[in-house]
Amino acid sequence: MAGKEDIILETPRLLLREFLLSDAQDMYELNRDIEVVQYTGDHSFESLEAAEEFLRNYDPYSKTGMGRWLVIRKSDHACLGWCGLKWHEGDWIDLGYRFFKKYWNQGYASESSTYCLKYGFTKLKLDEIFATVMPENKASVRVLEKLGFRFLREINEELMGTSLFYGLKKEDWKTQDFLSD
């Protein structure tokens, strides 16, 4: 478990921190589940070593002040998956998340995403955050709409095929009740 100084975000139930090399087993297992990656455009890691190599080379944190963060449940320190912000060429930022299937439909995506949005809009001073989702991924569409994202357009990506492109402007962002700290 990371020390308190390593925590980027804390929610009522969750801790979010930067990835560590020691997270390789969890990331390998997360991406091995075909249902978890089916709407992402990503492929499973070929091996634990491939997950380790990915983590060794993953360093957007120092370059952009953001990235995907490991999501840990406070009550038992279980790794639930990841959530975070990602900078893309063309200067746009997207919100993304991925959770182990056994943690779906428990509000973790909404809770962690809400705090990532708060981080992006308040700490990073972003004006707008985007998200892409495959039309078949109804659960993620619901999460985005619950968070206040608005559908902007349909896009075709080489990796994912047809996707829905959503955006949330800072002025339209509504802080959730549990963010009243």
Side-chain angles (χ1 to χ4, degrees):
M1 179 64 202
K4 185 71 172 166
E5 66 280 358
D6 298 323
I7 303 303
I8 304 296
L9 297 170
E10 183 172 350
T11 80
R13 301 183 295 166
L14 308 170
L15 301 170
L16 283 75
R17 66 159 171 79
E18 293 180 4
F19 291 144
L20 303 172
L21 187 56
S22 58
D23 299 325
Q25 185 69 45
D26 286 323
M27 294 299 95
Y28 175 66
E29 293 297 328
L30 180 65
N31 278 18
R32 275 184 57 188
D33 188 328
I34 199 83
E35 287 183 74
V36 170
V37 296
Q38 71 179 332
Y39 299 126
T40 66
D42 290 341
H43 300 287
S44 298
F45 290 117
E46 294 178 16
S47 64
L48 177 59
E49 292 76 23
E52 289 171 347
E53 184 65 20
F54 170 81
L55 292 172
R56 252 189 231 92
N57 295 311
Y58 187 80
D59 186 28
Y61 310 122
S62 63
K63 295 174 187 160
T64 65
M66 68 185 90
R68 306 303 197 199
W69 297 303
L70 195 76
V71 178
I72 302 162
R73 188 168 48 199
K74 286 181 182 179
S75 63
D76 60 2
H77 304 291
C79 170
L80 307 183
W82 58 258
C83 183
L85 302 171
K86 179 179 179 181
W87 177 85
H88 292 270
E89 287 190 37
D91 274 339
W92 63 280
I93 311 300
D94 91 320
L95 170 71
Y97 47 83
R98 187 173 304 169
F99 291 90
F100 284 101
K101 189 170 39 182
K102 65 184 174 182
Y103 301 120
W104 291 358
N105 301 310
Q106 297 179 43
Y108 295 126
S110 296
E111 185 173 333
S112 58
S113 293
T114 297
Y115 280 77
C116 287
L117 291 172
K118 179 181 180 183
Y119 183 89
F121 288 133
T122 60
K123 183 170 175 75
L124 299 177
K125 309 288 189 225
L126 300 174
D127 292 322
E128 192 165 12
I129 297 173
F130 300 94
T132 58
V133 61
M134 289 183 170
E136 304 84 6
N137 191 347
K138 303 295 185 202
S140 282
V141 168
R142 282 192 302 274
V143 169
L144 294 177
E145 290 174 349
K146 177 180 175 183
L147 294 170
F149 279 83
R150 299 288 179 246
F151 173 75
L152 300 175
R153 67 184 174 277
E154 199 172 273
I155 57 175
N156 288 304
E157 297 178 300
E158 186 177 323
L159 194 58
M160 292 177 59
T162 299
S163 294
L164 306 176
F165 193 65
Y166 282 79
L168 178 61
K169 293 183 183 217
K170 184 176 184 174
E171 60 264 21
D172 296 331
W173 174 59
K174 295 189 174 59
T175 305
Q176 302 295 327
D177 289 339
F178 57 81
L179 287 180
S180 58
D181 49 69

